[in-house]
């Protein structure tokens, strides 16, 4: 089914129910327009509805807005289209919703955990974890690849970096599922046509999930203040920013960001990786013929093609002209990374999955600028290690049928993906 321009509305949850191919065609139509389209904000009960936003769908616009934070600000929010009410912002007001200089200062504290030297230190640990996960997959036989493989490695690694004990990993996964699956009826009571009472219940579920993660952070922080352990939580509680410690809410919000971002985006890419390499057997053969030579390009193409995080928002601080369009102070713009990653002006045959694509200037980790994903190199490493372990030990593993997709306007995720393989 081909949509017309008038039928496209990225604010409507129904749009995100459409097949991936139809969504890609819709954004291609938007890119073909001379200027950006304006959309009303989605009506959400108990939240103030703003006047709307401009949809940035071209690679050049997304990159320019990402680089120029003095004009395209992340404050008051970068992660949601509506302005969050105070009772929600207190949980989600992390550095992703900050501008420099405070953003840069807090980011420097955390970036120590993601340097090449630190990643080299945990390389062997990532490989050991991946091997154990595949051991258990083989022992259990074919099943859900998301639950048994994709979700496990990233959540174990980020929890270990933060010092979260293994007994709490399942709780972390459950809470992050609620936060990122907030529009999917499987995880919350929010969904198309469910009404105000149901939405109120869903918002309460999201707040409880966020509160639980904040409380987990607070408990770990108290313990690390008394007994520093060399983990990321220890670094955060001892951090000095502008002559002061992070507040309890800043610590909790940042902790929540790391747990959510460190879990969801990488697990989504790993799951998409199996599906894409199943649907494109020629690319799979090319990779397995020389894994070492092909894996780096494969990882980049998986994250470009799947684009786990669909959008971020920016807020105009003053009037500004960009590519022939004038934006006004106070305007909201939404950066659609999924569209920028299929821009025909930048990528040859953008709808083709090609692990040899070069160059591949995708924006799946955010476009170049102060908010480029802090954990991008860790995510790349985890995806590469997991795919190596899976395909070296189960060379005939395949996605078995279609995935159960997450209903979300912000995450291009799979809830379940059946897989099949021959046990070695």
């Amino acid at each position: 089914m081909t949509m017309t321009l008038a039928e496209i509305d990225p604010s409507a949850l129904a749009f995100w129910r459409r097949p991936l191919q139809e969504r890609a065609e819709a954004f291609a139509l938007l890119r073909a327009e001379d200027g950006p389209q304006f959309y009303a904000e989605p009506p959400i009960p108990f939240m103030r509805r703003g006047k709307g936003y401009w949809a940035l769908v071209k690679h050049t616009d997304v990159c320019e807005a990402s680089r120029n934070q003095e004009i395209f600000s992340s404050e008051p929010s970068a992660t949601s289209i509506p302005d969050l009410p105070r009772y929600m912002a207190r949980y989600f007001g992390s550095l992703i919703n900050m501008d420099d200089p405070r953003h840069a200062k807090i980011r420097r504290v955390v970036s120590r955990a993601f340097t090449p030297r630190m990643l080299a230190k945990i390389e062997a640990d990532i490989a050991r974890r991946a091997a154990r996960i595949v051991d258990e997959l083989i022992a259990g036989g074919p099943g859900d690849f998301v639950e048994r493989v994709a979700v496990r490695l990233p959540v174990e690694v980020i929890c270990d970096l933060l010092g979260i004990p293994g007994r709490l990993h399942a709780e972390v996964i459950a809470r992050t599922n609620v936060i990122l699956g907030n529009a999917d009826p499987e995880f919350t009571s929010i969904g198309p046509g469910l009404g105000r009472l149901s939405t109120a219940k869903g918002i309460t579920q999201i707040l409880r999930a966020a509160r639980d993660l904040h409380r987990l952070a607070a408990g770990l922080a108290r313990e690390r203040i008394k007994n520093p352990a060399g983990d990321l939580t220890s670094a955060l509680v001892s951090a000095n920013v502008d002559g002061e410690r992070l507040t309890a809410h800043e610590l909790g919000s940042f902790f929540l960001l790391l747990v959510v971002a460190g879990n969801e985006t990488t697990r989504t890419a790993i799951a998409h990786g199996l599906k894409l390499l199943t649907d494109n057997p020629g690319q799979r053969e090319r990779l397995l013929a020389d894994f070492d030579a092909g894996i780096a390009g494969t990882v980049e193409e998986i994250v470009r093609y799947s684009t786990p995080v669909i959008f971020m928002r920016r807020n105009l601080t003053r009037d500004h002209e960009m590519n022939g369009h004038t934006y006004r102070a106070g305007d909201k713009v939404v950066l659609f990374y999924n569209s920028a990653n299929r821009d025909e002006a930048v990528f040859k045959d953008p709808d083709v999955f090609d692990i040899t694509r070069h160059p591949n200037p995708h924006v799946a980790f955010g476009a170049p600028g102060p908010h480029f994903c802090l954990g991008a190199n860790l995510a790349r490493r985890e995806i590469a290690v997991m795919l190596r372990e899976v395909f070296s030990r189960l060379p005939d593993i395949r996605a078995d049928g279609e995935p159960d997709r997450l209903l979300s306007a912000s995450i291009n995720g799979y809830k379940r993906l059946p897989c099949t393989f021959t046990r070695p």
Side-chain angles (χ1 to χ4, degrees):
M1 176 182 176
T2 301
M3 284 179 283
T4 65
L5 196 63
E7 293 173 313
I8 299 171
D9 183 5
S11 293
L13 202 54
F15 174 82
W16 301 99
R17 287 185 182 275
R18 290 179 177 270
L20 297 178
Q21 182 59 35
E22 286 187 19
R23 283 162 34 179
E25 290 172 1
F27 279 104
L29 274 177
L30 294 180
R31 289 192 301 273
E33 292 297 298
D34 289 336
Q37 300 295 301
F38 189 82
Y39 292 100
E41 290 188 19
I44 302 176
F46 316 108
M47 290 190 190
R48 187 175 65 83
R49 192 177 185 186
K51 63 180 182 179
Y53 63 90
W54 296 100
L56 301 189
V57 296
K58 298 180 180 180
H59 191 277
T60 182
D61 289 345
V62 168
C63 289
E64 183 172 340
S66 298
R67 282 191 292 263
N68 195 343
Q69 69 167 343
E70 291 183 1
I71 297 173
F72 295 90
S73 170
S74 295
E75 299 177 1
S77 177
T79 53
S80 66
I81 295 175
D83 291 341
L84 295 179
R86 184 174 297 179
Y87 63 84
M88 296 189 76
R90 68 196 295 261
Y91 289 119
F92 299 103
S94 66
L95 89 166
I96 203 169
N97 296 321
M98 293 179 187
D99 292 327
D100 291 342
R102 188 160 183 81
H103 162 264
K105 290 174 181 176
I106 296 178
R107 184 180 171 108
R108 277 197 296 271
V109 172
V110 187
S111 64
R112 303 170 195 161
F114 299 97
T115 63
R117 176 185 290 183
M118 291 301 294
L119 293 182
K121 281 186 178 180
I122 65 172
E123 178 96 21
D125 179 63
I126 294 174
R128 279 194 301 272
R129 290 178 187 277
R132 174 171 46 78
I133 288 167
V134 175
D135 286 343
E136 293 171 10
L137 175 67
I138 292 170
D144 178 19
F145 187 78
V146 173
E147 178 185 14
R148 296 177 55 197
V149 177
V151 72
R152 292 186 57 191
L153 181 64
V155 79
E156 287 185 16
V157 170
I158 197 65
C159 284
D160 190 56
L161 282 173
L162 286 162
I164 302 172
R167 60 186 169 80
L168 296 177
H169 289 181
E171 178 183 341
V172 168
I173 293 170
R175 301 300 182 270
T176 57
N177 281 345
V178 169
I179 291 168
L180 287 172
N182 57 70
D184 192 308
E186 181 172 333
F187 299 115
T188 74
S189 299
I190 299 174
L194 294 181
R196 289 176 64 85
L197 185 61
S198 183
T199 298
K201 182 179 178 182
I203 290 174
T204 301
Q205 292 167 324
I206 296 166
L207 289 173
R208 283 177 178 164
R211 179 202 62 193
D212 290 347
L213 290 176
H214 271 244
R215 286 180 175 175
L216 174 58
L220 274 175
R222 287 192 294 270
E223 175 61 29
R224 293 301 183 265
I225 288 170
K226 290 189 244 179
N227 303 298
D231 54 29
L232 191 47
T233 301
S234 299
L236 289 172
V237 297
S238 63
N240 186 305
V241 181
D242 293 333
E244 59 189 44
R245 304 284 188 189
L246 297 180
T247 68
H249 275 300
E250 284 177 328
L251 176 64
S253 295
F254 191 50
F255 181 93
L256 189 152
L257 170 66
L258 286 172
V259 167
V260 170
N263 167 14
E264 179 62 36
T265 52
T266 308
R267 98 186 208 184
T268 295
I270 291 171
H272 275 278
L274 178 63
K275 175 66 173 163
L276 287 167
L277 290 166
T278 299
D279 292 346
N280 297 273
Q283 298 297 305
R284 176 197 187 103
E285 290 174 13
R286 185 188 293 267
L287 171 63
L288 298 188
D290 191 344
F291 195 94
D292 289 338
I295 186 56
T298 300
V299 169
E300 298 305 313
E301 183 66 348
I302 288 170
V303 295
R304 179 197 74 89
Y305 197 92
S306 63
T307 312
V309 176
I310 295 171
F311 78 84
M312 285 289 170
R313 168 186 146 194
R314 295 293 185 265
N315 311 282
L316 271 291
T317 60
R318 60 178 182 263
D319 292 358
H320 179 69
E321 183 172 317
M322 181 171 71
N323 293 335
H325 180 81
T326 300
Y327 301 86
R328 301 299 180 187
D331 281 355
K332 295 178 183 178
V333 295
V334 173
L335 286 59
F336 283 103
Y337 301 129
N338 62 315
S339 179
N341 281 340
R342 301 290 183 95
D343 192 335
E344 303 82 354
V346 175
F347 301 97
K348 181 183 178 183
D349 298 325
D351 294 325
V352 172
F353 178 70
D354 179 8
I355 67 171
T356 65
R357 185 179 298 279
H358 182 79
N360 192 351
H362 66 79
V363 293
F365 292 120
H371 283 280
F372 184 80
C373 178
L374 186 64
N377 286 332
L378 175 60
R380 289 177 170 119
R381 201 72 222 114
E382 290 174 351
I383 298 165
V385 169
M386 196 74 252
L387 292 181
R388 179 187 295 276
E389 193 68 27
V390 166
F391 284 110
S392 64
R393 298 177 61 188
L394 298 171
D396 70 344
I397 188 170
R398 280 170 172 73
D400 187 14
E402 290 303 305
D404 183 3
R405 286 169 41 208
L406 180 71
L407 177 57
S408 174
S410 56
I411 300 294
N412 184 23
Y414 291 163
K415 294 187 288 186
R416 283 168 286 276
L417 178 66
C419 72
T420 183
F421 55 84
T422 304
R423 284 179 171 175

